[in-house]
Amino acid sequence: MSLPKKFTVVAAALLTATLFAGCSSTASEGADAAATPKVAIGIGGQTLLTYLPTTLAEQLGYYEEEGLDVDLQDLQGGSKALTALVGGSVDVVSGYYEHTIQMQAKNQSITSFVQMGKSPAIALVVAPGSTSEIKSLDDLIGKSVGVTAPGSSTHTMLRFLLEEAGLNPDGVSVVAMGAGASAVAAMESGGVVAGVMLEPDVSVLAERTGAETVSLADLRSPEGVEEHYDTDMWPSSSFYAQSDWLEKNPETAQKLANVLTKTLAYIAEHTGTEIAAEMPETFSGGNLERYAALIEELKPQLTEDGRNSEAGAEAVLDTQRIANPEVGDAEIDLAATYTNKFVGGK
């Protein structure tokens, strides 16, 4: 029995529409194809102040205002976030710019497209129970030193500081202590004699022990950066992605850049107290007043326009050449590791 002509036409139309819908959702690999682009962002330690703009933007509703559906994933270490990007489980990383250089040395193209931090924001802190035996970098040789994760920016900076002092960076035993509560616990327990830490962990540790922290190196300020480099800018926290993702998703990348530059402007225009009030309550570690003060100290360490600089990129490359054997004397095209085109530059 043949079907009525009207039914046949309607059925064909429905089938065609279904097929086209299926093609549009599976053939397009780019987030730009979606009405509300979905973007998974891996963060190298979400509670760390250096990544504050990433979470603050969500708290302020800026991602939603740009029409983005963002999934922020706390991956507790820069190297872990990078691994997630390469493995395809996240689209963008809120992590340190230096990873773009490291990956180019491995013939993988990753590009930073918004720059948040302009100093490493780290300090090499002596564990409270080891202050009597650890007086200098030399005393670290043969001992266990904590970093967020092996291969992370904290690990690279540890290697750089040891090399700069004429010491063998392989002479210390590196221990992964993560960030936040786990890092503070590692320092308190005596599992390490020192640790490369970021805020608010440094201040939380001092508060818990009731003693002033002893630092063997402190690069949490532009002045601290100038002690080791010929510039006061060392590009740190940024948004970076695989270069081909940026090429396929320029509109989504632009929206993300808009979000971060708007957030950076908000930070510049508001007090630490006002900013702290917008952040998740757990991020303050139970002391909102201290957290607000740390945010106020953070503000000079952030860019106001999201741009990277040639001098800053050179400083990071210098660190990598000294501290990372995989980079060493490799030919690196710095211009390919970052772009300012999404933040009003070239």
Side-chain angles (χ1 to χ4, degrees), residues 109-334:
S109 185
I110 291 177
T111 304
S112 168
F113 61 100
V114 191
Q115 191 62 47
M116 292 180 280
K118 57 183 181 182
S119 75
I122 67 170
L124 177 52
V125 179
V126 179
S130 301
T131 53
S132 61
E133 64 171 315
I134 306 298
K135 302 292 185 181
S136 68
L137 290 169
D138 299 64
D139 298 327
L140 296 179
I141 301 303
K143 306 293 196 309
S144 296
V145 180
V147 299
T148 53
S152 66
S153 299
T154 52
H155 187 191
T156 298
M157 191 56 69
L158 172 63
R159 292 183 62 88
F160 169 77
L161 292 170
L162 292 170
E163 286 270 14
E164 188 182 42
L167 301 169
N168 180 5
D170 295 321
V172 301
S173 177
V174 173
V175 176
M177 62 182 189
S182 63
V184 174
M187 293 286 281
E188 283 186 299
S189 68
V192 296
V193 299
V196 185
M197 305 182 76
L198 296 89
E199 292 290 8
D201 298 355
V202 178
S203 295
V204 171
L205 176 65
E207 184 175 277
R208 286 178 59 85
T209 60
E212 186 176 346
T213 55
V214 177
S215 298
L216 300 178
D218 193 338
L219 289 87
R220 290 177 290 174
S221 68
E223 293 76 21
V225 173
E226 283 190 294
E227 289 184 18
H228 299 271
Y229 302 97
D230 294 329
T231 175
D232 63 355
M233 181 177 184
W234 194 97
S236 54
S237 52
S238 69
F239 267 7
Y240 66 75
Q242 302 229 34
S243 303
D244 59 356
W245 186 91
L246 288 176
E247 291 174 5
K248 294 174 182 176
N249 301 280
E251 293 180 12
T252 301
Q254 184 63 66
K255 289 176 183 289
L256 288 169
N258 294 345
V259 166
L260 273 195
T261 52
K262 186 175 180 179
T263 305
L264 290 168
Y266 178 94
I267 292 171
E269 296 166 0
H270 291 76
T271 67
T273 300
E274 291 170 326
I275 297 166
E278 296 290 346
M279 295 295 288
E281 186 176 346
T282 55
F283 282 38
S284 68
N287 189 328
L288 193 60
E289 184 177 348
R290 179 199 62 215
Y291 189 56
L294 290 174
I295 292 175
E296 197 64 43
E297 293 175 6
L298 168 75
K299 290 167 67 174
Q301 301 174 36
L302 298 175
T303 69
E304 293 187 12
D305 55 13
R307 296 189 188 188
N308 202 335
S309 75
E310 185 176 349
E314 288 284 359
V316 176
L317 177 59
D318 288 344
T319 304
Q320 288 293 310
R321 291 206 185 284
I322 292 172
N324 189 343
E326 293 183 340
V327 175
D329 295 326
E331 185 174 340
I332 300 294
D333 178 12
L334 276 182

